């Protein structure tokens, strides 16, 4: 297959459900291949992607550089612009300015201090799961646990009241369409509506925290915004709260679902994790490598002379980085198509690298480790109950439903 055909196939429902054969075809073209129909490259090599993520000559494409005809179809209050005003799509110095304000909520000390709270939430959810699965009844692991745990944790951190949290799963589902490979931006109507609803919600929550500050991230960022010293605009405040909410539970939800399914497919591994023969942390790292909740990202050459490996690319050229393909790169991982939590030097790129590495990666891994440890201990005979359904997404890969019985 040609590189252009692979990209097109990855944008189909069939390609999104199982992209790994397409990744294998892409790797056969080499670690970097130019697309003939656009100023872009397809990158599949682990070493090349890792280097680009850490290279300051590559960055995000800011709105000012977008073609006017494309900007004309993007609503001012829509999903693409909301994401573009967050640190996800910022370059230095703006990225450094805003990220430094948010990072105080994700220090290693603070994350470590959340472990007991995460354990309490997980245990309460497992109690509810036991009630729903009593008598051998089938329960949806995604709905009953994989969504509820991370959304509870990130909402506590941000400061979202418990009564409002049920709203976010459908809104996040719609909004993340704006993170996908998009052929027609005018098709993002539902994503734009989700962005508008989230924007209104966080505008109102920020106003509440102005009147009644609390010990949460919203209150802290509102104070910075109200200082009027240029460190954080109102649009940046809301955009980054939207990003933190969506990214804060979407990736962890998929990490939990993907991990449990891989446990079902590898029962001996699951048993060894349950007994402690395989550290749960190693299991989580291998899930991140083998079936990453984040499959793709991209960067643009910001200067002349930028290089991917030995290949020079022109300023403005895009590098589409297939993280899911890099995680099966035989130059980096021995027997890459085998699920093996005991593999040495396992460093997935699921949470990125360089200045854009995910602020919440430590929190996501901690949640997954606590969750799997308690889940496998509480329900050693947990088993699949019917056919799971995948979400129709490529960039954020995970399950929509995962029915199980608890044994």
């Amino acid at each position: 297959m040609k590189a252009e055909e692979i990209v097109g196939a990855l944008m189909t429902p069939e390609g999104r459900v199982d992209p790994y054969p397409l990744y294998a075809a892409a790797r056969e073209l080499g670690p970097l291949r130019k697309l003939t129909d656009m100023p872009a490259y397809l990158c599949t090599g682990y070493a090349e992607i890792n280097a680009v993520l850490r290279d300051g000559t590559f960055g995000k494409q800011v709105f000012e550089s977008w073609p006017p005809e494309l900007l004309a179809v993007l609503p001012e209050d829509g999903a693409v612009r909301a994401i573009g005003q967050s640190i996800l799509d910022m370059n230095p110095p703006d990225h450094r300015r805003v990220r430094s304000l948010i990072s105080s909520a994700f220090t290693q000390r603070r994350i470590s201090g959340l472990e007991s709270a995460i354990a309490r939430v997980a245990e309460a959810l497992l109690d509810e799961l036991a009630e729903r699965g009593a008598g051998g009844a089938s329960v949806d692991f995604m709905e009953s646990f994989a969504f509820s745990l991370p959304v509870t944790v990130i909402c506590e951190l941000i400061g979202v009241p418990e009564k409002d949290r049920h709203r976010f799963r459908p809104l996040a589902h719609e909004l993340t369409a704006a993170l996908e490979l998009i052929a027609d931006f005018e098709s993002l109507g539902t994503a734009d509506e989700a962005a508008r609803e989230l924007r209104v919600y966080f505008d109102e929550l920020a106003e509440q925290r102005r009147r009644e500050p609390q010990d949460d991230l919203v209150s802290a960022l509102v104070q910075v915004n109200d200082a009027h010293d240029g460190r954080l605009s109102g649009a940046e405040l809301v955009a980054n709260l939207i990003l933190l909410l969506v990214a804060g539970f979407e990736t962890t939800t998929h990490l939990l679902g993907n991990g449990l399914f891989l446990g079902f497919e590898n029962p001996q591994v699951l048993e060894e994790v349950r007994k402690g023969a395989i550290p749960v942390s190693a299991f989580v790292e291998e899930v991140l490598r083998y079936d990453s909740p984040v499959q793709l990202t991209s960067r643009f050459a910001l200067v002349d002379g930028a290089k991917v490996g030995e290949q020079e690319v022109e300023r403005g050229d895009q590098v589409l980085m297939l993280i899911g393909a890099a995680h099966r790169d035989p130059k980096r991982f021995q027997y890459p198509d085998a699920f093996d939590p005991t593999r040495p030097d396992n460093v997935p790129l699921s949470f990125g690298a360089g200045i854009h590495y995910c602020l919440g990666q430590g929190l996501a891994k901690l949640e997954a480790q606590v969750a799997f440890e308690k889940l496998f201990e509480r329900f050693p005979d947990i088993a699949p109950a019917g056919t799971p359904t995948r979400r129709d997404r490529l960039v954020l890969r995970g399950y929509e439903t995962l029915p199980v019985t608890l044994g």
Side-chain angles (χ1 to χ4, degrees):
M1 296 180 70
K2 296 180 180 179
E4 300 78 17
E5 295 172 331
I6 292 170
V7 173
L10 286 170
M11 297 172 70
T12 66
E14 297 79 13
R16 290 190 289 265
V17 166
D18 184 11
Y20 291 103
L22 294 169
Y23 293 160
R27 284 195 303 272
E28 290 180 0
L29 302 177
L32 186 73
R33 177 57 64 100
K34 180 78 167 65
L35 299 175
T36 59
D37 57 350
M38 59 187 296
Y41 291 80
L42 194 62
C43 190
T44 61
Y46 180 99
E48 289 77 11
I49 290 176
N50 189 33
V52 169
L53 290 173
R54 300 172 187 275
D55 188 345
T57 63
F58 291 89
K60 299 289 187 167
Q61 186 182 40
V62 295
F63 277 125
E64 290 76 11
S65 65
W66 285 36
E69 61 273 15
L70 179 56
L71 290 173
V73 303
L74 295 175
E76 289 289 339
D77 56 355
V80 173
R81 289 183 184 270
I83 293 169
Q85 291 172 315
S86 74
I87 57 173
L88 186 68
D89 276 357
M90 284 181 173
N91 291 322
D94 289 333
H95 177 270
R96 188 180 306 112
R97 168 178 57 83
V98 178
R99 185 184 176 99
S100 66
L101 299 173
I102 300 171
S103 61
S104 61
F106 293 94
T107 62
Q108 187 57 50
R109 183 177 180 179
R110 185 164 189 178
I111 289 172
S112 298
L114 290 171
E115 184 169 0
S116 59
I118 293 170
R120 287 195 299 272
V121 173
E123 288 166 355
L125 290 172
L126 291 175
D127 288 342
E128 296 177 8
L129 196 66
E131 292 180 10
R132 296 179 183 180
S138 173
V139 291
D140 181 9
F141 176 76
M142 302 308 296
E143 178 67 31
S144 301
F145 188 87
F147 164 73
S148 299
L149 175 64
V151 80
T152 299
V153 173
I154 195 64
C155 284
E156 287 286 343
L157 194 64
I158 293 175
V160 174
E162 185 174 354
K163 64 181 177 63
D164 295 335
R165 296 170 189 174
H166 69 281
R167 304 169 57 180
F168 296 129
R169 189 177 187 189
L171 292 175
H173 179 88
E174 299 297 345
L175 183 67
T176 54
L179 297 172
E180 295 294 314
L181 294 175
I182 301 169
D184 179 12
F185 282 92
E186 293 181 327
S187 67
L188 291 175
T190 53
D192 292 336
E193 287 300 320
R196 293 184 187 104
E197 186 170 339
L198 287 167
R199 192 186 299 275
V200 169
Y201 177 82
F202 279 115
D203 276 335
E204 293 175 352
L205 184 60
E207 187 56 38
Q208 291 175 16
R209 292 298 186 267
R210 285 190 176 91
R211 298 192 301 267
E212 300 177 12
Q214 297 185 18
D215 182 22
D216 57 36
L217 185 60
V218 175
S219 299
L221 292 180
V222 165
Q223 291 177 19
V224 175
N225 172 238
D226 290 353
H228 302 297
D229 56 8
R231 287 186 295 162
L232 188 69
S233 70
E236 290 169 343
L237 166 65
V238 172
N240 282 286
L241 289 174
I242 292 173
L243 172 68
L244 287 172
L245 174 71
V246 174
F249 75 81
E250 277 280 300
T251 51
T252 310
T253 293
H254 298 329
L255 172 56
L256 294 174
N258 294 356
L260 181 58
F261 187 79
L262 286 170
F264 291 155
E265 287 195 318
N266 300 271
Q268 184 59 43
V269 169
L270 191 153
E271 180 64 14
E272 291 180 354
V273 172
R274 190 182 70 80
K275 291 180 177 179
I278 293 177
V280 69
S281 59
F283 176 77
V284 169
E285 292 295 337
E286 181 66 348
V287 172
L288 288 168
R289 184 199 70 86
Y290 190 85
D291 198 16
S292 174
V294 181
Q295 293 278 312
L296 182 151
T297 189
S298 67
R299 295 290 188 272
F300 291 81
L302 302 179
V303 299
D304 294 324
K307 286 186 175 182
V308 182
E310 297 301 317
Q311 175 68 49
E312 186 171 308
V313 300
E314 295 183 9
R315 180 199 293 259
D317 281 357
Q318 183 181 20
V319 181
L320 289 170
M321 295 178 283
L322 299 182
I323 292 172
H327 286 169
R328 306 287 182 96
D329 184 351
K331 295 179 181 178
R332 175 61 177 80
F333 299 102
Q334 189 175 25
Y335 306 115
D337 293 322
F339 182 74
D340 180 12
T342 67
R343 67 175 64 249
D345 191 28
N346 191 9
V347 185
L349 299 173
S350 306
F351 293 105
I355 65 169
H356 279 281
Y357 79 89
C358 176
L359 274 172
Q361 66 171 324
L363 180 60
K365 291 179 181 180
L366 177 61
E367 288 181 65
Q369 290 171 24
V370 171
F372 286 131
E373 187 175 76
K374 292 190 173 297
L375 176 69
F376 298 153
E377 178 183 0
R378 179 77 174 271
F379 304 115
D381 297 321
I382 189 170
T387 304
T389 57
R390 281 278 186 187
R391 290 191 64 191
D392 187 25
R393 295 283 190 270
L394 172 66
V395 175
L396 295 181
R397 177 171 169 78
Y399 289 95
E400 187 71 33
T401 66
L402 182 53
V404 301
T405 55
L406 305 177

